[in-house]
Amino acid sequence: METFAFTVAAVLMAGAPLVLATLGETLTEKAGIINLSLDGSILLSAMAAFACAATFDSPWLGVLAGAGVGAAIAGALGLIGIFLGQSQLAVGFILTLLCRDLAYFLGHTFSRQPGPDLGLWTIPGLGDVPLAGPIFGSQSPVVYLSLFAIGFCWWWMYRTEGGMRLRAVGESPRAAFGRGIRVRLVRLYYCLAGGALVGLAGAAYSLAVKPGWGRPQGCEGAGWIALAIVIFGGWHPVRGALGAFFFAALQVAGIHLQEIFPSIPAPVFQVAPFPMMILTLLAVNMGRMGWVQDIVRRHPLFKKCSGAWPIEAPAALGQDFDPKKGL
Amino acid sequence: MNRESLLAQTGWFLAALALALLLTVIVCLPLGAPPLETIYVLFKGGLGSLSKFGRVLAGWVPLTLCAVGLLIPFTARLWNIGVEGQVIMGAIFCTAALRPFDDGGALHIGLALCAAMVGGAFWALLSGLLRVFGRVHEIFSGLGLNFVALGVTLWLIFGPWKRPGVASMSGTEPLDISLWLPRLGALSVSWVGLVLAFAAILAVYVLLHRSRWGLKMRAVGENPKAATLFALGPRRRLLQAFMLCGALAGLAGATQVLGVYHRLLPSISSSYGYTALMVGMMASFRLPLVPFICLFFAVLNVGSIQLPLQMGLDSSLSGVIQGVMVLSLFIIQGLRLWLKQRKGAD
């Protein structure tokens, strides 16, 4: 029981930044913008968060800096992609590579330096409760933050007017424009908000999950995993978060596997999430292939199960909207 | 849109360069690095002497092979982000082909080059198959396979192919000198590599601009639905495009193994796959520009090695400059479009 609780606690911790990044990208993509710069964004904001925390000796200032940097990168993507009409995929990819090198270049002096981290928060009275105690009683603040963010994003997207506007500009920008919503501006806002969440994910890495800065930091590739989880989660915040925890669980399992198979070199386990990512996307997308649907149609058992995990991308994902061209 | 005068085009290009320079200077300032001196050190490190230029050319060969290869899938509007992994796979297959031999000659090297092309094409085919039969977007499959290829390299270096006694990041046992690509005089670049790069440029030009295959490929890229109706076989062509690009990337991996490092290393690809993507975007995927941009980026890469030694800066500045240049080009292109639309509205 104890080990189970500690494993869950470890999964929550490892999953926290992935959840934040996934939620950020879900917000952005719901508005119809693809932000491919996640991987570089996370790295640069991780560097900025650590550098700021170490310079001013204040981890929470670092968290703010991380969110700011994430929002700034997403803002650059938003301006070039939405208002200057360049390919979102191309700009996002360039930003990934650029931010990655920028993080290593600017963070050079902070490499392997000591610095503050966010530490643990203890909730009084919860520690003695069986099961919940070891899991939630004493956790990193980023875990509480990520859990809060899941609920908040769901509430915002499906229970508020702002969330309705968000989904409108992603599903049908023309209709939204017709109703008087300033599509491009709304998209830019959610680009910034999503970027800030991605920045928080970076800060969560360098200040809590893998404290410190260096080359490599250890969060390389997390952005790409998060991008894939958004598809896996079908652009739904709660399902996306579940996907993030699923991947975190695989990572934690990888650490245990490493102890079981000491003959396999450690670096090999670091790439393990990536074949998993491809297989997951394959499994998710297979259902939409013609030949798979044929098989499903022929077997009544499959037919019952099909539709259990529907995947619908926002209809206007990645499409330009130019209000001058009108309705 | 493309019918602007040469003068105007040059002007816009210079504007992009100026913006890139400005952004680079802004990046250098927080570190207290004098920007102009940094840029001087960067270029002197790449062009300062003949032997340095030889190293630039040694980097130009794989970069050009990858960048030129990328034009083929891009003609069909496909993003082959997996070039990096295809370079690594080429290097692995090349090393695997040479492992049974202690020494050899031109025949063995030829065999290794062919094996590398097969390796790269195989890795690209996986990405293509995932896209065609699994609906996995090529960005994710390519990227994932890059990491998988890196994992395979690490496993080989620390596992079955480790050097007798010690296994370390320094790679496998070096190849016998008879298996190295012959050098061009005293320069560190091989003439075989240069010949391969020029041959690749020519071959891709003929394939894309002077063959029916290239014409059909372009049709697939412009309008996949129409291509299906006209029985141009978009799926088959898509796989072919990936495989050709992968083969060239594999060849780049082989030039790294046979010509530069003479062994398999974890960092065998030197990120040329990602740099080649930037070259492609910078050139807007126009073949005549590609070799020159590759040369410029190779100068930056070699020059940046001097930065930690002389200025105490991280060598990733070359990547920053490359990224900033492509981004500036996008911004300037966007501004151009915006100005044009405003003119049209008036």
Side-chain angles (χ1 to χ4, degrees), chain B residues 164 223 271 276 280 332:
Chain B
N223 192 339
S271 292
I332 294 292

Side-chain angles (χ1 to χ4, degrees), chain B residues 217-240:
Chain B
M217 191 62 116
R218 200 159 313 173
V220 170
E222 298 293 342
N223 192 339
K225 270 195 192 129
T228 316
L229 293 177
F230 284 108
L232 293 176
R235 286 182 162 190
R236 189 167 35 103
R237 246 162 256 285
L238 190 149
L239 293 178
Q240 287 168 348

Side-chain angles (χ1 to χ4, degrees), chain B residues 57 60-62 64-65 68 184 189-206 248 251 287 291-292 295:
Chain B
L57 283 180
W60 178 79
V61 168
T64 306
L65 283 169
V68 162
L184 185 69
V189 63
S190 158
W191 61 263
V192 179
L194 286 173
V195 168
L196 285 175
F198 281 115
I201 296 172
L202 200 67
V204 170
Y205 172 75
V206 170
L248 287 176
L251 211 51
L287 181 62
F292 299 101
L295 189 65

Side-chain angles (χ1 to χ4, degrees), chain B residues 105-173:
Chain B
L107 196 68
H108 296 86
I109 291 178
L111 176 78
L113 290 176
C114 290
M117 286 174 79
V118 171
F122 160 67
W123 213 239
L125 183 65
L126 277 185
S127 206
L129 288 174
L130 278 168
R131 152 94 188 206
V132 170
F133 295 106
R135 272 190 127 169
V136 178
H137 196 284
E138 68 266 20
I139 288 185
F140 292 110
S141 60
L143 210 103
L145 288 173
N146 287 349
F147 284 96
V148 174
L150 183 65
V152 173
T153 318
L154 289 168
W155 173 65
L156 287 171
I157 288 172
F158 285 94
W161 292 1
K162 70 173 174 221
R163 289 154 91 171
V166 282
S168 73
M169 295 297 266
S170 60
T172 56
E173 191 77 357

Side-chain angles (χ1 to χ4, degrees), chain B residues 43-305:
Chain B
F43 280 95
K44 196 169 168 250
L47 296 166
S49 68
L50 199 61
S51 81
K52 279 172 184 157
F53 191 65
R55 249 176 280 155
V56 168
L57 283 180
W60 178 79
V61 168
L63 192 55
T64 306
L65 283 169
C66 293
V68 162
L70 267 172
L71 295 180
I72 307 171
F74 189 78
T75 309
R77 294 286 184 275
L78 291 167
W79 287 75
N80 185 7
I81 299 235
V83 196
E84 183 79 6
Q86 289 145 26
V87 173
I88 297 175
M89 255 316 138
I92 290 176
F93 270 59
C94 171
T95 319
L98 290 178
R99 276 185 71 79
F101 311 109
D102 289 328
D103 51 2
L107 196 68
H108 296 86
I109 291 178
L111 176 78
L113 290 176
C114 290
M117 286 174 79
V118 171
F122 160 67
W123 213 239
L125 183 65
L126 277 185
S127 206
L129 288 174
L130 278 168
R131 152 94 188 206
V132 170
F133 295 106
R135 272 190 127 169
V136 178
H137 196 284
E138 68 266 20
I139 288 185
F140 292 110
S141 60
L143 210 103
L145 288 173
N146 287 349
F147 284 96
V148 174
L150 183 65
V152 173
T153 318
L154 289 168
W155 173 65
L156 287 171
I157 288 172
F158 285 94
W161 292 1
K162 70 173 174 221
R163 289 154 91 171
V166 282
S168 73
M169 295 297 266
S170 60
T172 56
E173 191 77 357
L175 294 171
D176 186 76
I177 198 160
S178 60
L179 292 169
W180 296 10
L181 286 183
R183 293 199 161 176
L184 185 69
L187 298 178
S188 50
V189 63
S190 158
W191 61 263
V192 179
L194 286 173
V195 168
L196 285 175
F198 281 115
I201 296 172
L202 200 67
V204 170
Y205 172 75
V206 170
L207 196 62
L208 289 184
H209 298 279
R210 290 282 177 273
S211 77
R212 291 179 73 86
W213 189 86
L215 191 69
K216 287 175 180 170
M217 191 62 116
R218 200 159 313 173
V220 170
E222 298 293 342
N223 192 339
K225 270 195 192 129
T228 316
L229 293 177
F230 284 108
L232 293 176
R235 286 182 162 190
R236 189 167 35 103
R237 246 162 256 285
L238 190 149
L239 293 178
Q240 287 168 348
F242 264 103
M243 282 177 73
L244 282 173
C245 177
L248 287 176
L251 211 51
T255 62
Q256 288 285 92
V257 170
L258 300 172
V260 181
Y261 295 111
H262 311 300
R263 68 180 74 133
L264 188 65
L265 295 174
S267 57
I268 191 78
S269 67
S270 308
S271 292
Y272 285 133
Y274 294 124
T275 316
L277 276 159
M278 289 213 259
V279 171
M281 288 186 219
M282 179 105 187
S284 309
F285 293 95
R286 275 173 295 188
L287 181 62
L289 293 178
V290 166
F292 299 101
I293 297 175
C294 284
L295 189 65
F296 181 69
F297 278 21
V299 170
L300 285 178
N301 278 345
V302 173
S304 69
I305 299 167

Side-chain angles (χ1 to χ4, degrees), chain A residues 36 80 83-87 89-91 93-95 97-98 101-102 104-106 108-109 215 221 224 227-228 231 265 267-268 271 274-275 277-278 281-282 285-286 288-289 291 322, chain B residues 27 31 79 81 130 132-136 139-141 143-145 147-148 151 154-155 158 274 277-278 281 312-314 316-317 319-320 323-324 326-327 330-331 333-335 337 341:
Chain A
L36 265 195
I80 303 172
F83 290 96
L84 295 181
Q86 299 296 300
S87 156
L89 288 181
V91 174
F93 190 72
I94 283 298
L95 280 172
L97 297 178
L98 176 60
D101 280 322
L102 209 53
Y104 291 140
F105 180 67
L106 294 176
H108 187 52
T109 45
R215 178 181 189 170
W224 295 108
L227 273 163
I231 300 173
V268 174
V271 302
F274 293 96
M277 169 182 105
I278 296 177
L281 284 181
L282 191 62
N285 289 323
M286 280 290 251
R288 293 190 298 173
M289 296 295 295
W291 60 275
D322 192 344
Chain B
V27 165
L31 294 179
W79 287 75
I81 299 235
L130 278 168
V132 170
F133 295 106
R135 272 190 127 169
V136 178
I139 288 185
F140 292 110
S141 60
L143 210 103
L145 288 173
F147 284 96
V148 174
L154 289 168
W155 173 65
F158 285 94
Y274 294 124
L277 276 159
M278 289 213 259
M281 288 186 219
L313 296 172
D314 197 85
S316 48
L317 180 64
V320 175
V324 155
V326 185
L327 202 63
F330 277 131
I331 295 173
Q333 267 175 9
L335 281 178
L337 208 71
Q341 277 175 354

